Amino acid sequence: MSTRYEVPLPQVELSGFDITLSEEEQGVQQTMHRFARDVMRPLGQEIDRLPAEQAYLPGSPFWEYHAEMQKLGFGPEAMEGLEPAAAARLEGIVIEELGWGDAGLTVSTGAGGLPMTMARASGQQELIDLCEGKLGCWCATQPDRGSDGLILYPEERHPGSKGNKGNLHATFTPDEIIINGQTSAWVSNGAVAQVALVDIVADYGDGFYDEHGNTFGTNIIVPLDIKGVSRGKPLEKLGKRALPQGEVYFDNVRVPKRFAIATRDDYELKHAYAWAHAGTAMSHISAGLARAAFELALAYVHERKQGGTLLANHQLTQYRLGGLGIKVESIRAMARHVALYTKCSPRPHPYFTASGKTFCTNELMDVVNESLQLFGGAGLTREYPIEKMMRDARAMQIEDGENNILQMHYGHLLSRLHQQEGWGRA
Ligand SMILES: Cc1cc2nc3c(=O)[nH]c(=O)nc-3n(C[C@H](O)[C@H](O)[C@H](O)COP(=O)(O)OP(=O)(O)OC[C@H]3O[C@@H](n4cnc5c(N)ncnc54)[C@H](O)[C@@H]3O)c2cc1C
């Protein structure tokens, strides 16, 4: 008589086929996951159902989330002292779990910490103090300056056209900076933030343009409780409703020149470097949200019977689950790859970072869409969180750069590497 041994199941972690996680990484992952499951997801769902004008008022679930997040004590300082590769991994693990909990709240935390990250990078204690304990935002896009703010090379513009100076400008005087205009309604945390990283076009005394029609830029840390700052109403929108968005208006807002952390000569490089680093977060959030949607579908097909048995028992369902699983793993692999390159390369580039964001958010959209499809009609109802995930994922194909534009920039970069460095020539 022969004995037949069953092949044992492979080892899997919370996040999937993640064999190289250290004990410490697993510990962080578990902690963040519990927070995402017990705090973030329920609060995110609550905020999602409120009208925008109520959702972010003092005492609302939005502020409860931030208070709980602060108690968790996992700020940028947690990464300090780590080797770049280890920091990239840990950051990915943390952001993936937060994205699993709620993609909008994760962005609120990420954008919320951006002024502080940049203040710390500047090394100026006054700016660090100014950002301490405050929720931040990143004021970059404006009503007339959306995708145009993401162009790095002049040849990417229509021939003969100049850079787009948009609707929000800084004018540098001998001792201060005067800011006038408005942001777009899309500024994450814009409706409620207490401090801003303002990333705009600047006039240093000889106009907004250089001799080639390129705009000059600046990055400034601006406290938002000063004279001349006002806000629009929180935006009503389809997805990421847990993330407050809205215009910030600047009417002759004056700040000392030392609040500028990037000016005429170093703006382009600092802007590109900051975008390359901050842009990796969207890919990790995609990994978390895709996994969350997939898990819901996986559970549902083990409950719902059609065709005489559980959906999970049909070969067609197994094929579809396989397709989803492949995508979830590939989103994570891409997210970690781009983050590792960006943290470890001597010359990271935002167009490469953006290629990861494009891939991960496009694949995410496919995953959430197909997961919802596995629910049939039930997926469209509010009884299941999958419909919210679908709306949240949709926003991510536009957020942080519209995906077609980002893919075009990446193609431009590949072409430049080929032309200028001979890369890709046999
Ligand atoms: C959830 C979310 C969060 C956001 N957070 C922030 C934030 O924190 N701070 C901030 O400043 N902004 C933020 N944004 C704004 C975001 O960066 C912009 O929405 C994005 O860059 C696209 O700009 P736009 O919406 O003006 O679209 P547009 O640039 O007007 O694009 C509209 C369409 O035109 C196409 N298009 C644009 N340019 C070209 C071209 N050259 N050639 C061919 N086609 C073109 C695009 O592909 C797109 O399909 C956020 C947006 C979202 C959705």
Side-chain angles (χ1 to χ4, degrees):
M1 199 174 88
S2 71
T3 315
R4 190 175 174 279
Y5 290 99
E6 194 171 79
V7 177
L9 290 174
Q11 167 150 355
V12 279
E13 303 297 338
L14 188 71
S15 43
F17 295 79
D18 228 357
I19 194 64
T20 54
L21 292 184
S22 69
E23 247 175 64
E24 191 203 347
E25 287 171 336
Q26 280 179 1
V28 171
Q29 188 181 56
Q30 299 284 351
T31 305
M32 300 315 284
H33 187 70
R34 274 194 300 275
F35 177 76
R37 184 191 61 206
D38 301 338
V39 179
M40 273 183 110
R41 194 177 281 184
L43 287 176
Q45 287 169 351
E46 225 183 297
I47 304 167
D48 181 63
R49 291 180 187 198
L50 292 171
E53 74 232 28
Q54 285 173 22
Y56 322 110
L57 293 174
S60 66
F62 172 76
W63 289 108
E64 189 183 337
Y65 159 73
H66 277 290
E68 292 296 325
M69 184 70 198
Q70 221 159 13
K71 277 191 223 155
L72 202 61
F74 208 90
E77 60 287 351
M79 306 288 171
E80 269 169 16
L82 289 178
E83 289 296 311
R89 261 178 83 83
L90 195 62
E91 193 175 271
I93 289 164
V94 168
I95 299 175
E96 178 176 334
E97 292 316 309
L98 297 180
W100 184 98
D102 190 283
L105 289 176
T106 309
V107 171
S108 181
T109 293
L114 201 55
M116 177 56 111
T117 304
M118 298 304 283
R120 287 168 81 100
S122 79
Q124 292 187 57
Q125 193 56 44
E126 182 186 13
L127 296 181
I128 297 172
D129 294 344
L130 208 139
C131 297
E132 191 65 54
K134 292 191 182 146
L135 188 69
C137 67
W138 176 61
C139 296
T141 58
Q142 298 136 38
D144 297 326
R145 191 172 192 254
S147 303
D148 281 357
L150 301 175
I151 294 174
L152 291 183
Y153 300 110
E155 70 273 14
E156 294 181 278
R157 293 198 304 266
H158 188 67
S161 67
K162 288 165 94 173
N164 183 345
K165 75 182 173 76
N167 320 80
L168 181 59
H169 314 124
T171 304
F172 280 69
T173 70
D175 2 273
E176 58 182 3
I177 311 164
I178 306 167
I179 307 170
N180 271 300
Q182 71 161 98
T183 70
S184 75
W186 290 107
V187 172
S188 299
N189 293 338
V192 296
Q194 297 144 332
V195 62
L197 173 69
V198 175
D199 185 340
I200 53 174
V201 166
D203 176 358
Y204 292 93
D206 50 358
F208 291 110
Y209 295 99
D210 69 11
E211 66 274 24
H212 307 293
N214 304 312
T215 50
F216 299 116
T218 183
N219 276 334
I220 314 165
I221 305 279
V222 182
L224 293 179
D225 56 356
I226 57 176
K227 194 166 162 244
V229 174
S230 60
R231 316 300 174 93
K233 283 190 184 154
L235 194 62
E236 275 296 356
K237 57 200 160 119
L238 176 83
K240 287 220 166 152
R241 294 175 57 82
L243 171 69
Q245 293 181 283
E247 297 97 345
V248 186
Y249 297 93
F250 296 80
D251 181 11
N252 270 323
V253 171
R254 291 164 184 270
V255 292
K257 257 171 118 173
R258 61 183 185 278
F259 284 12
I261 53 176
T263 53
R264 186 181 182 124
D265 295 333
D266 61 2
Y267 169 76
E268 290 298 332
L269 275 183
K270 283 187 174 167
H271 165 72
Y273 185 83
W275 173 15
H277 280 266
T280 57
M282 290 290 290
S283 302
H284 298 308
I285 297 172
S286 302
L289 180 51
R291 200 180 99 219
F294 165 67
E295 287 172 6
L296 289 179
L298 186 62
Y300 186 77
V301 299
H302 285 89
E303 290 161 14
R304 173 81 171 161
K305 282 186 182 166
Q306 288 295 291
T309 184
L310 286 173
L311 288 180
N313 293 334
H314 293 294
Q315 272 194 328
L316 175 61
T317 307
Q318 289 168 13
Y319 175 79
R320 292 168 74 185
L321 288 177
L324 286 171
I326 290 168
K327 283 181 189 270
V328 172
E329 292 290 326
S330 50
I331 294 170
R332 178 179 312 106
M334 181 62 146
R336 288 196 187 163
H337 167 60
V338 170
L340 186 68
Y341 174 85
T342 302
K343 281 263 190 300
C344 299
S345 165
R347 276 183 296 148
H349 197 287
Y351 285 0
F352 177 62
T353 303
S355 77
K357 184 267 171 176
T358 303
F359 176 83
C360 293
T361 53
N362 282 343
E363 293 298 300
L364 161 68
M365 194 61 210
D366 281 358
V367 168
V368 182
N369 193 34
E370 174 65 351
S371 297
L372 188 150
Q373 196 77 10
L374 276 166
F375 276 80
L380 302 170
T381 68
R382 281 192 168 177
E383 196 182 339
Y384 296 96
I386 191 77
E387 61 85 29
K388 171 180 179 293
M389 291 182 183
M390 175 95 182
R391 290 185 281 109
D392 287 352
R394 188 64 187 83
M396 290 173 66
Q397 292 181 301
I398 300 168
E399 181 177 4
D400 235 13
E402 191 279 325
N403 280 2
N404 290 298
I405 296 300
L406 296 184
Q407 185 169 318
M408 178 178 77
H409 288 324
Y410 182 50
H412 185 79
L413 177 70
L414 297 177
S415 178
R416 263 195 169 230
L417 283 169
H418 183 77
Q419 287 166 13
Q420 293 182 0
E421 297 194 359
W423 182 69
R425 289 186 196 158

